[in-house]
Amino acid sequence: MAKKLFIPGPVDVRQEVLDAFATPMIGHRTKDISVLQERISDNLRKLFYTENTILLSSSSGTGLMEGAVRSFTAKRAVVFSVGAFGNRWAQLAETNGIPVDKVEVEWGNPTLPAVVDEYLATGKYDVFCVTHNETSTGIMNPVEAISEVRKKYPDVLWLVDAVSSMGGVKIDVDKLGIDVCITSTQKCLGLPPGMSMASVTEEAIEKAKGIKNRGFYFDYVTLHKFVKTKPYQYPTTPSIPHMFALDMQLKYILEEEGQEARYARHAAMAKTTQNWALNNGFELLAGEGYRSNTVTTVKNTRDIDVAALVKEAGAEGYLMSNGYGSLKGKTFRIAHMADRKPEVLQEYLDMLTSKL
Ligand code: PLP
């Protein structure tokens, strides 16, 4: 039996979006696909609040993260890590032979603008990577304040992992000055996993053209070329079913629910979850001001048996999330993202309360 997914992605997907996956195929070198990809790009630009070019990738978000460090680092990258996915950025650079420094905080803490300033001031870096919303710790980083610092270093490209927040939280890419902003389908966008997308500036693409060994599949210059010259096509055969579903879901987000209403629903669900945790004698891993609107990491201060609770939740028809990696047992996570209805979140919280 399918369980209700309270893990931070993949998420429950609306039936009409699932049905869109069964749309008959069209060719990937046709006018129809260009029209489809153009419409998706236009709508993603609204979602990202950007005029930049939108690239699609028939992979999960990690593919575009790997492509980004590879395509844009000429000198040295610095990764500001606040958890498992920040560490992944660094790993992606290392395993591709790209010079990188990782600045990792103790899990539960954010990336502070002063630290970004300190590292960028060394002049050692031409790329810096930030996780907007760290899914392992439930930290949402202060990107507005980081963006202020970044103004001092306009030549250092800013790559942002917005995998678990874009579509659930307003990220004004152009106002913040983000050069490359990446997200995946299976989190706040409310689609199945298997596609990801990034916004990219023309300046970043121009720079990438001078960088060797960018690889092939995730090369931003190639992806960009196919959008600009074909136009709106994909270098290889894309996941066309994802494109049908994404097209439908973007219209739903922008025109039916509305962006502001969607952000407000996420913020309200985050508050409900945080209050539930505090009212039940737990603490939150993230400090005030840095708490995610899409996933809450609850500190297991009551020393409950988290694995047993996961099992009990499973028997009730819910997939619950233990803590990530070293935080397993010490924390557990509650996702409140995508098209989750607040009343279903409340049912889930009530179920958890009854098991404590
Ligand atoms: N970054 C964050 C913050 C994530 O939560 C995830 C996935 O959970 C990733 C990156 C990796 O994305 P994907 O699984 O789409 O490759």
Side-chain angles (χ1 to χ4, degrees):
M1 193 196 78
K3 294 189 175 96
K4 286 203 175 76
L5 301 180
F6 278 87
I7 56 172
V11 297
D12 289 330
V13 178
R14 296 184 305 115
Q15 189 58 48
E16 69 165 347
V17 176
L18 290 175
D19 292 345
F21 275 78
T23 309
M25 278 311 99
I26 57 174
H28 69 298
R29 294 284 172 251
T30 58
K31 177 97 176 80
D32 287 347
I33 200 91
S34 295
V35 168
L36 178 62
Q37 189 167 332
E38 183 173 10
R39 189 164 60 232
I40 290 171
S41 295
D42 287 347
N43 281 337
L44 282 173
R45 265 194 285 275
K46 289 180 194 155
L47 196 78
F48 283 53
Y49 301 85
T50 187
E51 299 292 324
N52 296 336
T53 303
I54 298 288
L55 306 179
L56 304 182
S57 172
S58 290
S59 69
S60 72
T62 304
L64 280 178
M65 289 167 70
E66 179 161 22
V69 280
R70 241 186 121 137
S71 300
F72 301 116
T73 314
K75 196 160 72 171
R76 192 173 192 89
V78 55
V79 172
F80 296 97
S81 174
V82 299
F85 293 101
N87 288 349
R88 183 175 293 183
W89 270 121
Q91 216 184 343
L92 290 169
E94 277 159 17
T95 53
N96 277 285
I98 291 158
V100 63
D101 289 326
K102 181 172 78 172
V103 183
E104 187 176 1
V105 297
E106 192 187 333
W107 286 22
N109 292 299
T111 297
L112 294 175
V115 175
V116 174
D117 199 2
E118 182 191 325
Y119 278 83
L120 297 191
T122 63
K124 275 166 67 181
Y125 308 104
D126 62 339
V127 162
F128 77 108
C129 305
V130 169
T131 313
H132 176 247
N133 189 77
E134 176 52 68
T135 320
S136 57
T137 59
I139 285 281
M140 205 154 75
N141 269 320
V143 282
E144 286 82 9
I146 293 171
S147 131
E148 285 305 312
V149 162
R150 188 274 163 98
K151 286 181 184 153
K152 288 164 63 181
Y153 313 97
D155 295 335
V156 184
L157 290 183
W158 186 13
L159 316 185
V160 172
D161 166 358
V163 166
S164 62
S165 48
M166 183 61 81
V169 179
K170 181 171 183 180
I171 306 172
D172 194 329
V173 167
D174 286 356
K175 197 163 150 219
L176 294 167
I178 299 169
D179 293 282
V180 181
C181 187
I182 300 166
T183 196
S184 306
T185 47
Q186 78 279 10
K187 310 271 188 194
C188 300
L189 292 176
L191 293 146
M195 186 164 260
S196 50
M197 53 285 290
S199 67
V200 61
T201 57
E202 297 307 309
E203 293 76 13
I205 293 294
E206 282 311 308
K207 178 189 171 190
K209 286 180 182 166
I211 292 173
K212 283 204 184 117
N213 297 323
R214 299 186 306 266
F216 182 84
Y217 198 72
F218 298 114
D219 174 21
Y220 277 62
V221 175
T222 304
L223 289 163
H224 179 267
K225 186 173 123 199
F226 272 75
V227 169
K228 291 292 178 191
T229 63
K230 292 301 172 181
Y232 288 103
Q233 288 192 4
Y234 190 75
T236 55
T237 320
S239 175
I240 297 168
H242 271 95
M243 292 171 71
F244 289 134
L246 178 57
D247 184 39
M248 165 177 279
Q249 180 67 348
L250 285 169
K251 276 187 223 155
Y252 172 80
I253 293 172
L254 297 171
E255 291 164 24
E256 281 189 50
E257 181 170 24
Q259 280 163 281
E260 295 302 329
R262 194 170 179 85
Y263 305 144
R265 178 171 54 81
H266 279 78
M269 292 196 298
K271 257 277 153 276
T272 301
T273 308
Q274 291 160 11
N275 289 339
W276 172 86
L278 297 171
N279 292 338
N280 280 283
F282 295 107
E283 288 172 16
L284 303 167
L285 187 64
E288 183 91 53
Y290 301 109
R291 291 175 186 153
S292 167
N293 276 1
T294 67
V295 58
T296 295
T297 300
V298 180
K299 243 178 165 171
N300 183 13
T301 35
R302 278 177 58 167
D303 206 19
I304 61 163
D305 183 341
V306 177
L309 187 59
V310 170
K311 257 195 191 152
E312 284 186 81
E316 298 288 340
Y318 299 96
L319 191 61
M320 178 184 168
S321 208
N322 203 322
Y324 194 102
S326 59
L327 293 178
K328 206 167 185 172
K330 295 181 194 148
T331 64
F332 58 92
R333 293 172 300 159
I334 301 174
H336 29 80
M337 59 171 73
D339 297 323
R340 173 64 67 222
K341 290 201 168 11
E343 53 273 25
V344 179
L345 171 67
Q346 192 57 57
E347 278 164 29
Y348 179 64
L349 296 175
D350 292 345
M351 181 279 300
L352 288 181
T353 309
S354 74
K355 307 288 178 197
L356 291 174

